[in-house]
Amino acid sequence: MSAPLFLVESLPVGDSFTLGGPEGHHAATVQRLRVGEELLLADGRGGTAAAVVTAVGRGSLDLALTSRGYVDAPVPRLVVVQGIAKGDRGELAVQAMTEVGVDEIVPWAASRSVAQWRGERGVRAREKWASTAREAAKQARRPWLPVLAGSPDESTDRVARRIAGATAAFVLHEEATDRLTTVDLPDTGEIVLVVGPEGGIAPAELDAFSAAGARPVRLGDSVLRTSTAGVAALAVLSTRLSRW
């Protein structure tokens, strides 16, 4: 099994380090790492450091750093505009998309979104998405932590402007004739992928995104849930872009 990864604000500059706080508690108390075991530290911005546990405290680990590394950000960037979903479906989507390599997630307040992120509820929901992405990145041993855009969510007009500035943009839509498996993809820049909420994308929204330069595409003949459509599309893109 590969070494577990723990996220830190910044990588230590010396050869020793004490991992404390929530990450230290998780490593020492939950995962019960012991002296001599290896782990990875990451700053979520491509920087990594391999380390060995030299001592275990109450909710903390003393570490000896053995090597350092840096992983370039993948190109093109994969950005998913995710329609806000009710219940835990949005979090399921964020978790799975992070594990398969999304670079940025944009919460979208679609007209057919049942759940609405307003006021304090919206702040808490966005924080939950951010926490889910962080934990999923650790599980996947990702050196880059996905960006969670929006404050707390994006309107259709703002999404359309994001599409207009992208190198390529696609909207998952069940009535599209083009397939994501065959459309041309750029080698650099940013690819924006739009995933609708449970009720789908409204005609006016599809028109706005198409006018901004997005291309409607489909994955296959079946209709996927909002919690699975994004991760399925990312798997296709990751394969076609040789990330996988």
Side-chain angles (χ1 to χ4, degrees), residues 81-131:
V81 176
Q82 174 67 52
I84 295 173
K86 65 181 180 180
D88 62 354
R89 290 179 182 173
E91 292 152 39
L92 291 173
V94 169
Q95 179 186 53
M97 291 191 298
T98 299
E99 291 179 4
V100 300
V102 70
D103 298 305
E104 184 173 349
I105 301 171
V106 181
W108 170 38
S111 63
R112 292 178 177 173
S113 289
V114 175
Q116 297 294 321
W117 287 8
R118 295 193 179 96
E120 187 63 29
R121 177 185 179 184
V123 173
R124 289 197 303 269
R126 188 178 187 281
E127 289 175 348
K128 199 162 187 179
W129 276 31
S131 176

Side-chain angles (χ1 to χ4, degrees), residues 25-93:
H25 170 78
H26 187 76
T29 307
V30 180
Q31 293 201 5
R32 297 183 179 181
L33 295 183
R34 295 296 178 253
V35 172
E37 292 192 88
E38 299 179 347
L39 59 82
L40 288 173
L41 300 176
D43 59 10
R45 300 178 297 277
T48 61
V52 175
V53 179
T54 57
V56 179
R58 178 174 290 183
S60 67
L61 297 177
D62 289 342
L63 307 173
L65 275 63
T66 57
S67 65
R68 300 174 186 274
Y70 179 80
V71 179
D72 291 328
V75 290
R77 295 185 77 244
L78 299 180
V79 179
V80 175
V81 176
Q82 174 67 52
I84 295 173
K86 65 181 180 180
D88 62 354
R89 290 179 182 173
E91 292 152 39
L92 291 173

Side-chain angles (χ1 to χ4, degrees), residues 132-178:
T132 299
R134 181 182 177 89
E135 293 306 310
K138 291 166 56 180
Q139 169 65 34
R141 316 299 200 262
R142 287 190 55 177
W144 282 90
L145 186 64
V147 175
L148 183 62
S151 54
D153 54 11
E154 299 284 75
S155 66
T156 296
D157 288 343
R158 288 173 65 93
V159 171
R161 289 197 292 271
R162 182 65 180 267
I163 289 171
T167 310
F170 305 100
V171 181
L172 294 182
H173 198 274
E174 61 189 80
E175 296 180 1
T177 55
D178 294 331

